[in-house]
Amino acid sequence: ARVGDDATDQAYMIQFFVEGTPRSTQTGSVVNAAGRRIPIRRGAEWSEQCRAVAIRSRNAEGWKMLAGPISMGCAIYMKRPKKPKHPCWPMSGPDILNVLKGPMDAWQGVVYANDSQIVGFHRLYKMWTGSWRAQPGLLVEFRPARGA
């Protein structure tokens, strides 16, 4: 979904939901190729799924790639176990930032030109499914950063 007409407008917002179990995408092993050390990300299929959902959303909604500084909002929904350590918040893995690293790279060229455009987060949560959303997944929002 999107709000507003111009990708530079403060009201412009891109939002979509990636259904599935959020996975850590932290760097795993490193390989040497042509004299360069190249990190291999674990959980690459999660990143690919996130990119595919963003492309489908762009094609269906007709939004434009964001230019300039971006504020990002994320809500990570994890499947609630029968006996959670905390009633509201998943305090075990995967770590929030490790869930986002791979998808943020994967959204380059789809949502924004480079993930370095993300200058802040207006929402960043990891919570159990249930009261807010029935299915595990990742709800993301992108909008021009305020004051930009």
Side-chain angles (χ1 to χ4, degrees):
R2 76 178 160 91
V3 177
D5 295 322
D6 183 358
T8 60
D9 182 359
Q10 288 292 329
Y12 193 87
M13 181 177 71
I14 297 169
Q15 181 184 68
F16 52 86
F17 181 73
V18 182
E19 190 172 324
T21 302
R23 303 270 185 226
S24 176
T25 56
Q26 67 193 53
T27 303
S29 59
V30 178
V31 297
N32 290 314
R36 293 180 51 205
R37 293 176 50 86
I38 301 170
I40 305 297
R41 280 211 190 273
R42 288 182 262 179
E45 64 284 342
W46 171 247
S47 300
E48 292 166 13
Q49 180 180 350
C50 290
R51 180 178 179 86
V53 170
I55 291 169
R56 281 195 305 271
S57 174
R58 181 189 61 194
N59 293 344
E61 300 290 329
W63 45 262
K64 299 173 190 150
M65 197 164 61
L66 290 167
I70 298 168
S71 177
M72 182 174 172
C74 301
I76 301 167
Y77 295 93
M78 304 298 294
K79 185 176 179 184
R80 184 183 180 97
K82 291 181 181 183
K83 293 184 178 184
K85 291 180 182 178
H86 189 278
C88 299
W89 306 105
M91 297 187 335
S92 58
D95 295 347
I96 288 177
L97 296 179
N98 287 337
V99 169
L100 296 177
K101 286 177 186 175
M104 287 172 67
D105 287 342
W107 291 323
Q108 293 183 127
V110 179
V111 178
Y112 38 74
N114 192 293
D115 61 356
S116 64
Q117 291 174 252
I118 298 169
V119 297
F121 289 88
H122 56 271
R123 176 182 305 146
L124 184 57
Y125 297 110
K126 181 171 73 167
M127 61 188 73
W128 299 125
T129 56
S131 57
W132 295 102
R133 186 164 292 276
Q135 298 298 319
L138 173 64
L139 177 66
V140 289
E141 302 170 350
F142 302 93
R143 62 182 180 213
R146 296 202 185 275

